[in-house]
Amino acid sequence: MKTALITGVTGQDGSYLAEHLLDLGYKVVAMMRRSATPSTERLSNCLDRIEIVNGDLIDQSSLMRILAEHKPDEIYNLAAQSFVHSSFHEPIHTGEVTGLGVIRLLEAVRLVVPEARFYQASSSEMFGKVHEVPQKEDTPFHPRSPYGVAKVYGHWATVNYRESYDMYACSGILFNHESPRRGLEFVTRKISDAVAGIVFGEQDKLALGNLDAKRDWGFAGDYIKAMHLMLQQDEAKDYVVATNETHSIREFCTIAFERVGLEYEDFVVIDPRFYRPAEVELLLGDATKAREELGWEPEVDFRGLVEMMVDSDLQRRLDRRLTVQKGSLPGAMAAS
Ligand code: NAP
Ligand code: G4F
């Protein structure tokens, strides 16, 4: 049985990847940092099947200890301060975790388990102010945020360890991928959750920033499969993972509101607080290499993704109401 270590396992991608690797028969070692409140909500489907270990990308000794104790065959480095907007407010912290954190882990791998295969979660944010459309593996980087800058550092650190020490280390340059498990601060989930909140009478407006930025959005459940495939090849290489389609925030809003028979123009207000000091205006990926060499294909299309997220946020509220109603029934009836 192969052992996989996942950092960032409490996040969106970590939870899908843990489930996928368990289904494939892996032992999953799940690295989490200490938190005052539980952060395992996304892991409810697999919490009893993973081995939780405490560690932090800021703490070198914790990384060395985990690798020495568990000797993983594969390491998926998904941990990061991943919210671009926050990286403008916490640039040093973002650099520490999202940038330097990668080289801390690479160095620990080199010293403790040099034969292990290493995956780095690189990002289309590295293309930033894009030099060509669509973006592929050899498109030059031009990051537009402290987050993008930190990801470029982590990306080149991964390439450098592969070239310097002959380690199996590769980067997936993943374009935006979303799901019902996406954090509420990201624009897609903010919209899907607001649509459900409006339907249930919990809010009457949705404040957003730039509606004209365009993203190549896919489904996280599809993208984590590409991560695993990258570590099963004869040779470590970097791959773009994307749908090869781009859509604006405005288009996302249109479909999300249409799903419940509403028009976004009646609810969305523009709030300058959600604009960024520098914007990434257009992302569109060319995933030809991943399709041809990994045999990877996305299964969920853009409309399917938007509708999945809205439906999930509606269902979540429905479930909550049913639980509350059940709780207010007399004992015997509630139990039935
Ligand atoms: P996410 O939901 O924000 O999850 C980030 C994870 O990193 C969480 O588990 C978080 O733990 C953990 N983390 C943060 N700081 C840490 C530290 N100092 N030490 C250890 N763990 C730490 O992100 P995601 O969307 O799943 O993305 C996964 C990775 O892919 C990230 O590296 C992200 O930058 C990258 N990426 C994402 C996308 C996308 O569209 N989703 C696209 C390209 C690349 P807590 O629960 O404790 O906060
Ligand atoms: O959903 P976002 O915050 O995602 P962003 O900045 O594209 O970053 C995500 O994808 C990257 C891959 O390219 C990952 F590396 C990164 O970790 C993260 O997962 O914003 C998307 C767009 C931006 O152009 C933003 O300006 O939506 C625009 N936007 C407009 N109004 C908003 C809002 N973004 C957020 N978060 N909140 C708004 O109210």
Side-chain angles (χ1 to χ4, degrees):
M1 183 193 277
K2 279 196 202 170
T3 298
L5 170 70
I6 305 177
T7 74
V9 73
T10 56
Q12 171 188 257
D13 292 5
S15 64
Y16 283 109
L17 180 63
E19 288 171 19
H20 183 55
L21 294 179
L22 286 167
D23 287 348
L24 293 174
Y26 280 72
K27 174 184 174 190
V28 173
V29 178
M31 188 182 101
M32 294 179 199
R33 54 184 175 161
R34 193 263 162 188
S35 164
T37 43
S39 59
T40 52
E41 194 188 330
R42 294 183 177 102
L43 295 167
S44 56
N45 293 337
C46 65
L47 203 51
D48 54 348
R49 293 179 288 146
I50 57 177
E51 182 163 347
I52 294 173
V53 293
N54 283 127
D56 194 310
L57 281 191
I58 286 183
D59 185 320
Q60 182 77 45
S61 68
S62 67
L63 306 176
M64 307 279 283
R65 175 182 49 76
I66 290 167
L67 294 180
E69 278 174 15
H70 296 278
K71 304 229 170 4
D73 303 289
E74 296 175 11
I75 296 156
Y76 296 87
N77 184 34
L78 309 187
Q81 190 305 91
S82 77
F83 188 36
V84 173
H85 191 86
S86 288
S87 78
F88 287 101
H89 303 298
E90 297 182 15
I92 316 290
H93 174 75
T94 303
E96 274 291 347
V97 179
T98 307
L100 279 176
V102 182
I103 211 156
R104 284 193 195 95
L105 186 52
L106 279 165
E107 189 58 6
V109 174
R110 182 179 78 83
L111 294 170
V112 183
V113 282
E115 299 303 320
R117 297 187 165 206
F118 179 86
Y119 172 86
Q120 166 58 16
S122 285
S123 165
S124 51
E125 272 292 305
M126 302 189 303
F127 298 122
K129 191 170 182 190
V130 298
H131 287 212
E132 63 177 339
V133 181
Q135 296 87 50
K136 39 191 192 297
E137 289 78 8
D138 57 4
T139 301
F141 298 142
H142 187 149
R144 297 274 279 172
S145 62
Y147 169 82
V149 171
K151 280 288 178 187
V152 171
Y153 180 89
H155 181 84
W156 283 117
T158 305
V159 173
N160 179 250
Y161 269 58
R162 179 169 73 220
E163 292 176 353
S164 305
Y165 304 115
D166 201 25
M167 285 166 53
Y168 192 108
C170 55
S171 281
I173 308 176
L174 270 54
F175 282 62
N176 297 52
H177 46 278
E178 319 292 315
S179 73
R181 298 184 195 170
R182 186 56 142 154
L184 283 163
E185 66 275 37
F186 297 94
V187 76
T188 54
R189 184 74 200 292
K190 184 173 170 182
I191 296 167
S192 65
D193 189 60
V195 167
I198 288 165
V199 168
F200 276 74
E202 294 166 8
Q203 66 188 88
D204 54 10
K205 291 287 171 219
L206 166 60
L208 294 174
N210 179 11
L211 299 187
D212 296 315
K214 294 179 117 182
R215 291 289 183 274
D216 180 330
W217 275 301
F219 171 51
D222 288 339
Y223 283 39
I224 52 91
K225 293 180 184 163
M227 299 176 186
H228 173 256
L229 288 170
M230 279 179 225
L231 294 199
Q232 315 310 313
Q233 305 306 306
D234 292 337
E235 197 188 334
K237 293 186 199 166
D238 305 323
Y239 294 89
V240 158
V241 179
T243 68
N244 306 57
E245 268 185 42
T246 191
H247 299 274
S248 65
I249 319 298
R250 200 180 294 283
E251 286 173 79
F252 195 105
C253 286
T254 303
I255 297 177
F257 278 88
E258 265 175 19
R259 183 69 173 165
V260 295
L262 299 174
E263 290 183 5
Y264 85 88
E265 292 90 335
D266 295 332
F267 301 95
V268 170
V269 292
I270 301 302
D271 185 332
R273 281 181 308 155
F274 298 112
Y275 276 80
R276 293 169 184 181
E279 178 62 284
V280 173
E281 297 292 352
L282 165 70
L283 290 175
L284 173 61
D286 177 351
T288 305
K289 185 177 167 189
R291 283 168 202 263
E292 290 181 355
E293 295 187 13
L294 305 177
W296 177 84
E297 291 280 347
E299 286 175 19
V300 178
D301 67 6
F302 178 62
R303 179 174 286 274
L305 174 68
V306 181
E307 293 182 352
M308 175 205 297
M309 292 178 72
V310 171
D311 292 355
S312 163
D313 280 317
L314 288 166
Q315 189 63 48
R316 206 186 306 268
R317 280 176 172 74
L318 214 51
D319 291 345
R320 208 185 301 148
R321 288 219 171 165
L322 287 173
T323 310
V324 171
Q325 277 172 10
K326 223 173 167 188
S328 63
L329 290 174
M333 289 173 77
S336 66

